[in-house]
Amino acid sequence: MYFAHENGIMFTMYGKGAYLSRMNWNDYDCLIIGSGFAGAVAARELAERGNRKVLVLERRNHTGGNAYDCPDESGILIHRYGPHIFHTNTKRVFDYLSRFTEWRVYEHKVAGNVHGQLMPIPFNLHSLYKAFASDKAALLEQKLLASYGAGRKVTILELKENPDPDLSALAEYVYENIFVYYTQKQWGVKPEEIDPLVTARVPIVLSRDDRYFQDVYQGIPRNGYAALFHRMLDHPNIRVLLNTEAGSVLHFENNTVFLSGTHFPKPVIYTGAADELFGCRFGRLPYRTLDFQFETQNVTWYQAYGTVNYTVDRPYTRITEFKRLTGQNLEGKTTIAK
């Protein structure tokens, strides 16, 4: 067991041994399982506003949950568990997180690679002119705006039910080229297994706003997500135990919580997988899983967008280039995730 200090926070790393069994759990007013956004914000609020002594158990060797970022072997800052782009319409949320980070202004844009042609996703009026000849695209734009009005988000279902054959054909184009194969790859299902209600919600955006999100507040933490979490957990009332599997110390008996066999009558906040909380004795929940393949390329830039979706070909769903997100200035190298 050893103690590590990072940015003023006390983290306890331990080899699996007797250390946890010797802990006095009653020194703490609250136990939190997990140090992602839910766990870290709860810990900070309880420690700061509630003046509680908080113990955070984290199974990984770092805080931040799936939003964790770190430099790879080439020195490129990557999001280890897949890309995370912050966006919200709630000023309170933005102001709260701004206590712990400055922001790099970044508005995420996604392109779909449709038979080699890049077009904005979600499908919008710019996409229309990428997908069709200019005269046909202009006619479709005129009909869309006349039927629904500028700025609307029109679902595939609405378009399919439109009596105009050109608009119903457009719905079929978006379904076939943007949605169905991509969704098969994303969820591992056949087209007939996709809930029609999901298909119905696929939008066509009647504007030329190419941003993937339209939220008021968008960005990437200037010094990365890991630094944000370190600052959030930097409080004298918070202690974080890394490399600590909650299941090794936490169990329930007759609606009572026990930690290392000792009754713990205080609040426990659990932010992990619900099925694992109960040892999966009721079976595994059908969480979607993603595999990320990281590749460092010997070029300054790999693609023109932060993310490119492969909607009709390739075995992978998308490629993200992290330097597009972070703004990192590094010549001759870039890292992507498939």
Side-chain angles (χ1 to χ4, degrees):
M1 181 261 296
Y2 65 92
F3 298 96
H5 295 265
E6 297 184 29
N7 291 359
I9 313 166
M10 173 118 95
F11 294 95
T12 302
M13 311 281 287
Y14 76 98
K16 292 181 180 177
Y19 173 67
L20 284 174
S21 65
R22 297 198 306 268
M23 281 195 63
N24 186 356
W25 303 103
N26 290 320
D27 288 344
Y28 301 95
D29 302 311
C30 182
L31 176 69
I32 296 177
I33 312 300
S35 64
F37 270 112
V41 170
R44 183 74 187 205
E45 287 295 280
L46 286 164
E48 188 172 62
R49 293 203 296 171
N51 196 29
R52 307 285 184 87
K53 295 288 186 182
V54 180
L55 179 66
V56 180
L57 303 186
E58 170 55 56
R59 72 195 303 180
R60 292 168 172 161
N61 65 357
H62 59 75
T63 59
N66 288 341
Y68 173 73
D69 54 12
C70 61
D72 66 6
E73 293 179 354
S74 299
I76 296 169
L77 185 64
I78 62 170
H79 298 174
R80 173 56 65 192
Y81 306 103
H84 283 69
I85 296 95
F86 172 75
H87 58 99
T88 183
N89 279 320
T90 305
K91 186 175 186 298
R92 181 185 175 196
V93 171
F94 177 74
D95 289 345
Y96 183 82
L97 291 180
S98 296
R99 296 175 53 197
F100 310 109
T101 186
E102 296 179 350
W103 297 98
R104 174 179 184 255
V105 176
Y106 174 77
E107 296 181 322
H108 195 47
K109 294 184 178 181
V110 176
N113 185 314
V114 181
H115 302 295
Q117 174 68 61
L118 294 181
M119 57 184 69
I121 301 292
F123 195 92
N124 64 16
L125 296 180
H126 276 152
S127 312
L128 202 60
Y129 285 82
K130 298 286 188 180
F132 303 103
S134 57
D135 55 345
K136 183 175 181 180
L139 176 63
L140 288 169
E141 178 182 2
Q142 181 182 9
K143 289 185 174 185
L144 285 167
L145 296 180
S147 296
Y148 302 104
R152 276 282 313 280
K153 289 185 178 180
V154 183
T155 67
I156 284 182
L157 180 61
E158 288 179 271
L159 278 184
K160 280 186 175 180
E161 294 176 345
N162 194 296
D164 188 313
D166 286 337
L167 295 184
S168 59
L170 174 61
E172 191 62 30
Y173 174 88
V174 174
Y175 174 78
E176 291 290 342
N177 291 281
I178 305 297
F179 175 74
V180 66
Y181 183 54
Y182 187 84
T183 300
Q184 282 181 258
K185 292 189 291 183
Q186 188 89 331
W187 294 97
V189 296
K190 299 175 183 177
E192 59 269 21
E193 295 173 329
I194 301 171
D195 189 330
L197 292 176
V198 174
T199 306
R201 291 195 297 266
V202 177
I204 293 176
V205 183
L206 304 188
S207 78
R208 287 180 166 77
D209 186 346
D210 286 345
R211 296 177 302 164
Y212 193 74
F213 307 110
Q214 277 73 49
D215 298 279
V216 175
Y217 305 100
Q218 302 185 39
I220 300 287
R222 183 171 296 280
N223 295 315
Y225 285 99
L228 183 158
F229 283 100
H230 284 165
R231 292 189 65 184
M232 189 181 296
L233 292 166
D234 182 8
H235 192 280
N237 283 347
I238 298 175
R239 184 177 184 183
V240 181
L241 297 184
L242 300 178
N243 283 349
T244 306
E245 182 67 58
S248 66
V249 295
L250 178 68
H251 77 276
F252 307 99
E253 188 176 318
N254 298 324
N255 294 322
T256 302
V257 176
F258 290 86
L259 294 174
S260 296
T262 302
H263 177 218
F264 188 76
K266 302 170 185 178
V268 176
I269 297 175
Y270 181 86
T271 69
D275 50 5
E276 292 182 6
L277 177 62
F278 300 98
C280 296
R281 65 178 179 267
F282 304 112
R284 277 281 185 187
L285 290 173
Y287 294 108
R288 185 185 66 165
T289 60
L290 295 175
D291 295 319
F292 294 97
Q293 178 179 315
F294 293 85
E295 298 176 1
T296 297
Q297 305 287 335
N298 293 320
V299 294
T300 300
W301 297 107
Y302 184 82
Q303 59 191 25
Y305 291 81
T307 297
V308 175
N309 290 359
Y310 290 84
T311 61
V312 292
D313 59 7
R314 314 291 175 87
Y316 41 84
T317 55
R318 58 186 177 266
I319 293 177
T320 294
E321 184 172 10
F322 291 103
K323 282 168 53 179
R324 295 282 182 193
L325 278 57
T326 65
Q328 189 176 8
N329 184 15
L330 187 63
E331 294 290 327
K333 293 277 187 185
T334 192
T335 298
I336 64 172
K338 293 179 180 176

